[in-house]
Amino acid sequence: MEKSPLIAPSILSADFTRLDKDIKMLDSSAADWIHIDVMDGVFVPNISFGFSVIEPIRSLTKKVFDVHLMIVQPEKYIERFRQAGADVITVHQEACPHLHRVIGQIKDTGAKAGVALNPHTPVESLSEVIQDIDVVLIMSVNPGFGGQSFIENTYNKVAKLSRLIAASGSKAVIEIDGGVNAGNAQRLVKQGADVLVAGNFVFKSGDPVKTIQELKDLQ
Ligand code: DX5
Ligand code: ZN
C-alpha cells in the first residue's frame, strides 16, 4: 500500500460569489493544501486573480496556501505573494531565465520554493537545481484552464522525476496538477506523486468534502 498523498483542491473551480464559504468548507475537510492559481493572460491564455483575492481569504484557514504563479517575470511579485499569505510559491521553469536566482528569492521570504513544468518541458531541465527545490509541480494539462483532460505521458514524467530526486538526494516533493481524478490518482501516487491538485473533480462533485476524503483514501 502506498502512503496517502497530500490533497490540494484548486480554488480556480470554486464559487467566486461566495469564496468564503468554499474556503471554510476546505478548512473543515481533509484537504492538506489549498491550491491557488494566479494567471496573467500572458504566460497563459487566461486571467484569474491576484493579491486582492488571496489576502482576504488568508484569515479564514490555517491550511497551506500553495500559490501557483502562471505569470511572466514572477520575480517581481514574490515578496508580495508571500505577504498575501503564500506558504508555497511555485514559478514556471519556462518563465524564468534565471531560475536559480528566483528559487533563492522565494526561500529568502521564508516560503517553500516550487518549480512547475509544462507538459513539454523535460524533468531533466531541473537536474542542476533539484537540490534547491522544495516542490516540483508537473503540469498534467497545458496550464490556463480547469476541467481539461489528463495527459497520459505524465506517468512517465513522474517516474523519471522520482528517479532524478532519489539519485540527487533532493528532498523535493512531487505535485501533479491538471485533470486529476479517482481514475488516475492511484497510479500517480504509485509512480511517486506526493501532492495531488484537483479542481473540477472536487468542486463539481456533489459533495466536495467527501470527494477530498475519497482521493486521500484511494491508496
Ligand atoms: C490549470 C491550473 C490547475 C487547475 C486544475 O492551469 O493550474 O490548477 O485549476 O483544475 P482541474 O483539476 O479541473 O484540471
Ligand atoms: Zn495550478
Side-chain angles (χ1 to χ4, degrees):
M1 193 169 129
E2 306 290 331
K3 66 173 173 44
S4 290
L6 300 182
I7 305 300
S10 166
I11 59 165
L12 193 62
S13 303
D15 175 2
F16 284 89
T17 65
R18 286 298 312 272
L19 195 50
D20 60 329
K21 197 166 134 273
D22 277 347
I23 299 296
K24 285 175 194 157
M25 176 277 289
L26 293 178
D27 188 57
S28 73
S29 78
D32 298 280
W33 294 3
I34 296 181
H35 187 80
I36 300 177
D37 287 309
V38 177
M39 304 180 183
D40 67 354
V42 179
F43 183 69
V44 288
N46 196 9
I47 297 177
S48 58
F49 52 78
F51 317 110
S52 56
V53 169
I54 301 173
E55 266 158 13
I57 57 173
R58 180 64 282 188
S59 61
L60 302 178
T61 177
K62 291 203 163 45
K63 303 250 184 199
V64 168
F65 270 16
D66 175 35
V67 175
H68 177 193
L69 299 180
M70 285 161 275
I71 65 175
V72 297
Q73 301 187 314
E75 65 278 2
K76 287 186 178 171
Y77 306 104
I78 302 294
E79 193 63 50
R80 285 192 65 195
F81 280 109
R82 177 64 175 159
Q83 279 164 11
D87 298 297
V88 181
I89 299 178
T90 296
V91 296
H92 266 263
Q93 186 268 12
E94 303 84 6
C96 297
H98 305 290
L99 183 61
H100 180 270
R101 180 186 288 148
V102 181
I103 292 166
Q105 206 188 331
I106 297 172
K107 287 175 143 181
D108 285 347
T109 69
K112 299 256 187 253
V115 178
L117 299 177
N118 276 338
H120 74 280
T121 305
V123 297
E124 291 77 11
S125 64
L126 296 182
S127 63
E128 307 307 323
V129 286
I130 192 74
Q131 301 275 10
D132 307 312
I133 301 175
D134 298 304
V135 179
V136 179
L137 185 155
I138 295 189
M139 287 304 312
S140 38
V141 299
N142 285 293
F145 305 92
Q148 303 182 81
S149 309
F150 180 83
I151 297 172
E152 294 284 318
N153 184 53
T154 306
Y155 298 120
N156 294 327
K157 271 181 97 167
V158 178
K160 271 190 211 167
L161 179 59
S162 294
R163 290 196 289 272
L164 178 68
I165 289 173
S168 69
S170 161
K171 300 257 187 308
V173 299
I174 302 178
E175 179 173 19
I176 311 298
D177 187 8
V180 171
N181 57 43
N184 52 31
Q186 222 164 352
R187 189 165 162 202
L188 286 166
V189 173
K190 206 173 162 57
Q191 302 286 3
D194 303 292
V195 187
L196 302 177
V197 176
N200 264 30
F201 186 67
V202 165
F203 283 97
K204 306 295 178 221
S205 75
D207 187 344
V209 171
K210 193 160 154 238
T211 304
I212 292 165
Q213 190 65 54
E214 272 168 16
L215 274 177
K216 222 175 156 63
D217 292 343
L218 269 178
Q219 311 309 316

